[in-house]
Amino acid sequence: MADPAAPRGVTERLQDLREGGLYRRMRTIEGAQGPRVLLDGVEVLLLCSNNYLDLAGHPAVRLAGASAYRDLGAGAGASRLVSGNMAVHERLERQLAAFHEQDRALLFGSGYLANTGTIAALAGQGQVVYSDALNHASIVDGCRLAGAAKFVYRHRDVEHLAWAMERTAGEAALIVTDGLFSMDGDVAPLMWLTELAHKHGARLMVDEAHAVGTFGPGGRGTVAAAGLCDEVDVITGTLGKSLGSYGAYAATSSELRELLINTARPMIFSTGLPPACVAAAEAALELIAAEPQRIERLQENADLLRSELEGHGLKVGGSRSQIIPVRVGDPERAVSACSRALDRGVYAQAIRPPTVPDGTSRLRLTVMASHEPGELRRAAEVIASAVAAVGAGGEWSIDLPDESGEISVHDVRPAAEMPPAAGNRV
């Protein structure tokens, strides 16, 4: 007889995921990434890629990576503090620092490693780190690893953050936020966050992963768009989205970079990035500067898709970017809507918990600069039809946390039956 106190088995856990509509599987893309791909043997319009500027397959990016592979080898061979620090790493770091108008930059193995390592290095015991409720999982885990107390403030709600910082006066270490939120496509209130950071003596860290190459002057992100390059302490970004490669970085002051080199464990204990990834990202960064029309085309495509979706009666929330959420609510209905759209040649991935809070499953649409207007118009019709077939979900709100900083998310269908919490900014 099984011990009732024993941990649940793998089979039972997988069954729970299936019954809750949260089971996942990987689909296979054959060939190169692009606006249209061969998915499990069928050509589809790709509307869920982070390859926003379509640079992953650009000839100049491919050539730069291939040349570095040929000339510099397949890998760095060691961590950068041992013998894995190469000239190609330092050259890209100088370019990234200039791009963000910061003193220096430091490469990491991935965006996840950049965020977890940086947050843990900047906040510790006896301090408080403040995190937006809809921050990326890498930020959430960085807060957990830091050893500091954490406070989760309601999404984009500066009044709630101010309330929390007043209650923890003298303990503030770090405010951390996505610049462009990865699931909702909206933008952080950076001006207000900067003022609160200054008032309470905290540092401000902004993750620009989805804003690099897509938002602000020259694609330099939300910080540059707000004119705050001199005010934000750390900007993290990725090489794996608009830059079409792999890896990540933190752009900051020379002194903070030295601190990260000496204390950020994911950098210290990881092999340096492969030279091919670094060289490919360098070529992509040069293309962004040389071809600003790519960013303009991306923004035009995003505006078009939002308009078309709204014309079909769909709500797209507060999206101001190439990330456009179509809210469904229930995870099984989101999966069903994804399958229906895929049957008609449009791949729009269903996003479910834990990536998003319970009750907020959606189709997360992302446009690319290389999508054609006609493709996007047809895609909007296909998405609207798929969502209508499964039954659209409602809006949601995030309640005021209790003193521990925990949040709860409620489906409010219809809103009149369960009004949002007072002061809600969602």
Side-chain angles (χ1 to χ4, degrees):
M1 182 175 179
D3 180 0
R8 288 176 57 79
V10 172
T11 301
E12 291 80 7
R13 291 173 64 188
L14 288 172
Q15 185 59 30
D16 287 346
L17 291 172
R18 292 187 181 95
E19 291 176 354
L22 302 179
Y23 183 79
R24 291 161 167 78
R25 70 178 182 88
M26 290 189 286
R27 293 184 168 92
T28 302
I29 288 178
E30 302 166 25
Q33 295 284 342
R36 302 190 73 88
V37 295
L38 201 62
L39 182 71
D40 295 331
V42 178
E43 185 180 277
V44 297
L45 180 72
L46 186 59
L47 271 183
C48 51
S49 172
N50 295 331
N51 180 26
Y52 300 125
L53 300 181
D54 198 12
L55 294 181
H58 191 283
V61 175
R62 291 186 180 191
L63 179 60
S67 297
Y69 192 97
R70 178 195 63 209
D71 298 338
L72 300 175
S79 68
R80 293 182 67 192
L81 285 174
V82 181
S83 61
N85 185 43
M86 303 176 69
V88 67
H89 295 129
E90 295 187 345
R91 186 172 66 236
L92 178 60
E93 286 174 340
R94 289 192 294 271
Q95 293 170 334
L96 289 167
F99 182 75
H100 287 291
E101 299 182 23
Q102 300 296 310
D103 293 338
R104 301 292 298 275
L106 181 66
L107 290 171
F108 285 81
S110 70
Y112 214 101
L113 296 177
N115 281 339
T116 55
T118 300
I119 295 169
L122 296 182
Q125 290 185 353
Q127 298 177 310
V128 181
V129 58
Y130 308 86
S131 177
D132 188 288
L134 297 189
N135 276 339
H136 187 266
S138 58
I139 294 177
V140 173
D141 287 353
C143 293
R144 291 169 176 165
L145 290 169
K150 64 179 183 297
F151 188 90
V152 180
Y153 61 92
R154 291 183 308 196
H155 180 47
R156 300 183 70 250
D157 192 336
V158 293
E159 293 179 2
H160 187 216
L161 174 59
W163 172 82
M165 297 188 82
E166 291 291 345
R167 291 168 64 91
T168 53
E171 301 173 15
L174 182 68
I175 301 171
V176 58
T177 183
D178 283 355
L180 177 59
F181 288 90
S182 62
M183 291 295 121
D184 284 56
D186 52 352
V187 177
L190 295 181
M191 185 67 72
W192 294 103
L193 298 184
T194 300
E195 290 190 12
L196 285 173
H198 287 171
K199 179 179 179 181
H200 294 280
R203 292 191 177 95
L204 176 59
M205 172 178 163
V206 181
D207 180 0
E208 295 277 45
H210 293 270
V212 168
T214 71
F215 200 93
R220 292 187 292 113
T222 62
V223 174
L228 296 172
C229 293
D230 292 335
E231 305 294 332
V232 172
D233 296 282
V234 182
I235 296 170
T236 54
T238 179
L239 312 181
K241 294 180 172 60
S242 290
L243 297 183
S245 183
Y246 186 76
Y249 58 90
T252 185
S253 67
S254 297
E255 186 176 45
L256 280 180
R257 181 181 185 270
E258 291 301 309
L259 179 66
L260 294 178
I261 288 173
N262 284 277
T263 61
R265 293 171 65 84
M267 198 287 301
I268 295 170
F269 297 105
S270 295
T271 299
L273 276 176
C277 294
V278 178
E282 183 180 15
L285 199 62
E286 292 171 355
L287 282 168
I288 288 174
E291 301 178 3
Q293 64 271 20
R294 288 180 178 272
I295 302 169
E296 295 169 5
R297 180 66 182 276
L298 177 69
Q299 294 168 346
E300 290 170 358
N301 281 348
D303 291 342
L304 173 62
L305 184 57
R306 267 194 301 271
S307 176
E308 290 292 318
L309 291 167
E310 290 171 344
H312 286 287
L314 295 177
K315 296 180 179 179
V316 296
S319 171
R320 293 177 52 196
S321 68
Q322 74 282 358
I323 301 168
I324 305 172
V326 174
R327 301 171 175 182
V328 178
D330 177 76
E332 292 182 351
R333 286 189 295 176
V335 171
S336 179
C338 173
S339 296
R340 287 173 178 272
L342 197 53
D343 287 342
R344 296 181 60 186
V346 176
Y347 183 21
Q349 181 63 38
I351 304 295
R352 298 161 285 163
T355 307
V356 293
D358 290 338
T360 73
S361 294
R362 81 281 306 269
L363 300 182
R364 175 186 180 268
L365 312 183
T366 56
V367 299
M368 295 169 61
S370 49
H371 282 136
E372 296 296 332
E375 293 176 321
L376 296 176
R377 292 189 181 95
R378 179 181 177 275
E381 184 276 323
V382 170
I383 296 296
S385 176
V387 171
V390 302
E395 296 293 320
W396 54 81
S397 64
I398 300 179
D399 281 349
L400 180 70
D402 59 24
E403 293 184 3
S404 69
E406 297 296 322
I407 62 169
S408 60
V409 179
H410 298 287
D411 190 358
V412 288
R413 289 193 304 260
E417 295 179 7
M418 189 183 295
N424 182 37
R425 294 292 184 272
V426 175

